[in-house]
Short mmCIF file of all heavy atoms in Angstrom, two decimals:
data_model
loop_
_atom_site.label_atom_id
_atom_site.label_comp_id
_atom_site.label_asym_id
_atom_site.label_seq_id
_atom_site.Cartn_x
_atom_site.Cartn_y
_atom_site.Cartn_z
N ILE M 333 0.31 1.23 1.61
CA ILE M 333 -0.31 -0.02 2.06
C ILE M 333 0.57 -1.23 1.71
O ILE M 333 0.62 -2.21 2.45
CB ILE M 333 -1.74 -0.18 1.49
CG1 ILE M 333 -2.49 -1.33 2.16
CG2 ILE M 333 -1.72 -0.37 -0.02
CD1 ILE M 333 -2.88 -1.14 3.58
N GLY M 410 0.82 -2.03 -7.88
CA GLY M 410 0.60 -0.59 -7.80
C GLY M 410 0.03 0.04 -9.05
O GLY M 410 -0.59 1.08 -8.98
N GLU M 411 0.24 -0.57 -10.19
CA GLU M 411 -0.22 0.01 -11.45
C GLU M 411 -0.15 -1.10 -12.49
O GLU M 411 0.51 -2.12 -12.27
CB GLU M 411 0.68 1.19 -11.87
CG GLU M 411 2.11 0.85 -11.64
CD GLU M 411 3.10 1.83 -12.23
OE1 GLU M 411 2.78 2.46 -13.24
OE2 GLU M 411 4.19 1.91 -11.69
N PRO M 412 -0.78 -0.88 -13.61
CA PRO M 412 -0.71 -1.92 -14.65
C PRO M 412 0.74 -2.13 -15.09
O PRO M 412 1.50 -1.17 -15.18
CB PRO M 412 -1.54 -1.33 -15.79
CG PRO M 412 -2.37 -0.25 -15.19
CD PRO M 412 -1.61 0.26 -14.02
N ASP M 434 1.49 -10.51 -11.15
CA ASP M 434 0.99 -9.13 -11.23
C ASP M 434 -0.17 -9.06 -10.25
O ASP M 434 -1.22 -9.67 -10.47
CB ASP M 434 0.52 -8.87 -12.67
CG ASP M 434 -0.22 -7.54 -12.81
OD1 ASP M 434 -0.12 -6.71 -11.89
OD2 ASP M 434 -0.89 -7.35 -13.84
N THR M 435 0.02 -8.35 -9.15
CA THR M 435 -0.96 -8.39 -8.07
C THR M 435 -1.81 -7.13 -8.07
O THR M 435 -1.29 -6.03 -7.96
CB THR M 435 -0.25 -8.51 -6.71
OG1 THR M 435 0.56 -7.35 -6.50
CG2 THR M 435 0.62 -9.75 -6.66
N TRP M 436 -3.13 -7.31 -8.17
CA TRP M 436 -4.02 -6.14 -8.11
C TRP M 436 -4.64 -6.04 -6.72
O TRP M 436 -5.16 -7.03 -6.19
CB TRP M 436 -5.15 -6.23 -9.14
CG TRP M 436 -6.10 -5.07 -8.94
CD1 TRP M 436 -5.97 -3.83 -9.46
CD2 TRP M 436 -7.24 -5.04 -8.08
NE1 TRP M 436 -6.98 -3.02 -8.98
CE2 TRP M 436 -7.76 -3.74 -8.13
CE3 TRP M 436 -7.87 -5.99 -7.25
CZ2 TRP M 436 -8.89 -3.35 -7.42
CZ3 TRP M 436 -8.99 -5.59 -6.53
CH2 TRP M 436 -9.49 -4.28 -6.62
N TRP M 437 -4.56 -4.87 -6.18
CA TRP M 437 -5.25 -4.58 -4.92
C TRP M 437 -5.15 -3.09 -4.64
O TRP M 437 -4.66 -2.33 -5.47
CB TRP M 437 -4.69 -5.43 -3.77
CG TRP M 437 -3.22 -5.28 -3.46
CD1 TRP M 437 -2.17 -5.57 -4.27
CD2 TRP M 437 -2.66 -4.80 -2.23
NE1 TRP M 437 -0.99 -5.31 -3.62
CE2 TRP M 437 -1.26 -4.84 -2.36
CE3 TRP M 437 -3.21 -4.36 -1.02
CZ2 TRP M 437 -0.41 -4.44 -1.35
CZ3 TRP M 437 -2.35 -3.97 -0.01
CH2 TRP M 437 -0.96 -4.02 -0.18
N GLN M 438 -5.61 -2.67 -3.45
CA GLN M 438 -5.70 -1.24 -3.12
C GLN M 438 -5.54 -1.05 -1.62
O GLN M 438 -5.71 -2.01 -0.86
CB GLN M 438 -7.09 -0.71 -3.46
CG GLN M 438 -7.66 -1.12 -4.77
CD GLN M 438 -9.10 -0.64 -4.94
OE1 GLN M 438 -9.99 -1.03 -4.20
NE2 GLN M 438 -9.31 0.20 -5.93
N THR M 439 -5.34 0.19 -1.22
CA THR M 439 -5.33 0.52 0.21
C THR M 439 -6.63 0.00 0.84
O THR M 439 -6.64 -0.52 1.95
CB THR M 439 -5.24 2.05 0.40
OG1 THR M 439 -4.12 2.52 -0.33
CG2 THR M 439 -5.08 2.42 1.87
N ASP M 526 -11.89 0.88 -10.06
CA ASP M 526 -11.12 0.46 -11.24
C ASP M 526 -12.06 -0.18 -12.27
O ASP M 526 -13.11 -0.72 -11.93
CB ASP M 526 -10.07 -0.59 -10.85
CG ASP M 526 -8.82 0.05 -10.28
OD1 ASP M 526 -8.29 0.98 -10.90
OD2 ASP M 526 -8.37 -0.38 -9.21
N ARG M 541 -8.23 3.32 -13.58
CA ARG M 541 -9.21 3.96 -12.72
C ARG M 541 -10.37 4.51 -13.53
O ARG M 541 -10.20 4.99 -14.65
CB ARG M 541 -8.57 5.14 -11.97
CG ARG M 541 -7.45 4.78 -11.05
CD ARG M 541 -7.84 4.10 -9.79
NE ARG M 541 -8.90 4.73 -9.05
CZ ARG M 541 -9.25 4.34 -7.81
NH1 ARG M 541 -8.62 3.35 -7.20
NH2 ARG M 541 -10.22 4.94 -7.19
N ASN M 547 -2.13 7.65 -11.13
CA ASN M 547 -1.13 6.82 -10.50
C ASN M 547 0.24 7.21 -11.06
O ASN M 547 0.59 6.84 -12.17
CB ASN M 547 -1.48 5.37 -10.87
CG ASN M 547 -0.90 4.41 -9.89
OD1 ASN M 547 0.25 4.56 -9.49
ND2 ASN M 547 -1.69 3.43 -9.49
N ARG M 552 -0.52 6.97 -5.68
CA ARG M 552 -1.88 7.32 -6.03
C ARG M 552 -2.15 8.77 -5.64
O ARG M 552 -1.80 9.19 -4.54
CB ARG M 552 -2.74 6.37 -5.21
CG ARG M 552 -4.16 6.50 -5.35
CD ARG M 552 -4.75 5.30 -4.60
NE ARG M 552 -6.11 5.62 -4.26
CZ ARG M 552 -6.93 4.78 -3.66
NH1 ARG M 552 -6.50 3.57 -3.32
NH2 ARG M 552 -8.15 5.14 -3.38
C1 LIG F 701 -3.85 0.54 -9.11
C2 LIG F 701 -1.63 -0.14 -4.05
C3 LIG F 701 -3.24 -2.40 -12.34
C4 LIG F 701 -5.37 0.49 -9.20
C5 LIG F 701 -1.56 -1.61 -3.66
C6 LIG F 701 -5.78 0.59 -7.76
C7 LIG F 701 -3.15 -1.61 -10.19
C8 LIG F 701 -4.74 1.51 -7.18
C9 LIG F 701 -2.49 -2.78 -9.76
C10 LIG F 701 -4.55 1.30 -5.71
C11 LIG F 701 -2.23 -3.78 -10.74
C12 LIG F 701 -2.77 -1.48 -8.05
N1 LIG F 701 -2.62 -3.54 -12.00
N2 LIG F 701 -3.51 -1.41 -11.46
N3 LIG F 701 -1.60 -4.92 -10.45
N4 LIG F 701 -2.28 -2.67 -8.43
N5 LIG F 701 -3.28 -0.82 -9.10
O1 LIG F 701 -4.29 2.22 -2.86
O2 LIG F 701 -5.82 1.59 -9.96
O3 LIG F 701 -1.91 2.83 -3.51
O4 LIG F 701 -7.09 1.08 -7.59
O5 LIG F 701 -2.71 0.46 -3.44
O6 LIG F 701 -3.54 1.21 -7.90
O7 LIG F 701 -3.49 2.06 -5.23
P1 LIG F 701 -3.08 1.97 -3.70
#
Side-chain angles (χ1 to χ4, degrees):
I333 191 70
E411 43 170 330
D434 171 15
T435 63
W436 175 86
W437 59 297
Q438 315 174 297
T439 307
D526 278 310
R541 298 287 311 189
N547 203 316
R552 179 172 158 177

